[in-house]
Amino acid sequence: QVQLVESGGGLVQAGGSLRLSCAASGNIRSISAMNWYRQAPGKQRELVAAITSGGSTNYADSVKDRFTISRDNAKNTVYLQMNSLKPEDTAVYYCALAIRLYTTFYTKDYWGQGTQVTVSS
């Protein structure tokens, strides 16, 4: 009933920028938290950035002042603008959205398929 489509990953040189998008579609009543996670090879998945329904944001220390999370509620979309990219930012990036459907009384986390970000030195 819900589909999340991520886009925007790719290969970029250190110091470059990328913008990730995650668009949700389906029988969606509301979306509360929207989060971006990443997982590098051999490492645990980590929370990179989060944004609440009210627009409050939170970032991992490693990406503060370089990454910006934003959302477009009309489009059910969350973005991650990544600037000044470093090789250590290389990972698969996943969006996770807390979604309530019209047919349920609870909120559930839905995950995107992941998009590869590779930063070369």
Side-chain angles (χ1 to χ4, degrees), residues 7-68:
S7 61
L11 174 63
V12 65
Q13 287 189 333
S17 298
L18 285 173
R19 189 192 194 208
L20 305 183
S21 299
C22 172
S25 61
N27 194 26
I28 298 170
R29 175 173 179 166
S30 63
I31 303 177
S32 49
M34 292 180 160
N35 304 317
W36 285 100
Y37 289 80
R38 68 185 181 188
Q39 187 166 21
K43 294 188 177 181
Q44 288 189 329
R45 189 172 297 188
E46 63 171 343
L47 179 63
V48 174
I51 185 167
T52 67
S53 56
S56 296
T57 58
N58 200 14
Y59 298 93
D61 288 342
S62 58
V63 306
K64 274 180 184 175
D65 301 322
R66 298 189 298 122
F67 290 10
T68 302

Side-chain angles (χ1 to χ4, degrees), residues 56-113:
S56 296
T57 58
N58 200 14
Y59 298 93
D61 288 342
S62 58
V63 306
K64 274 180 184 175
D65 301 322
R66 298 189 298 122
F67 290 10
T68 302
I69 188 171
S70 61
R71 61 191 288 166
D72 184 334
N73 293 325
K75 296 181 179 180
N76 289 334
T77 299
V78 61
Y79 305 96
L80 185 67
Q81 178 67 43
M82 305 185 294
N83 299 329
S84 302
L85 282 161
K86 304 175 181 180
E88 50 263 43
D89 295 317
T90 296
V92 178
Y93 285 70
Y94 299 89
C95 60
L97 277 56
I99 296 175
R100 180 179 173 184
L101 304 179
Y102 281 105
T103 53
T104 65
F105 295 98
Y106 56 85
T107 297
K108 175 183 175 182
D109 285 343
Y110 290 85
W111 289 79
Q113 81 280 10

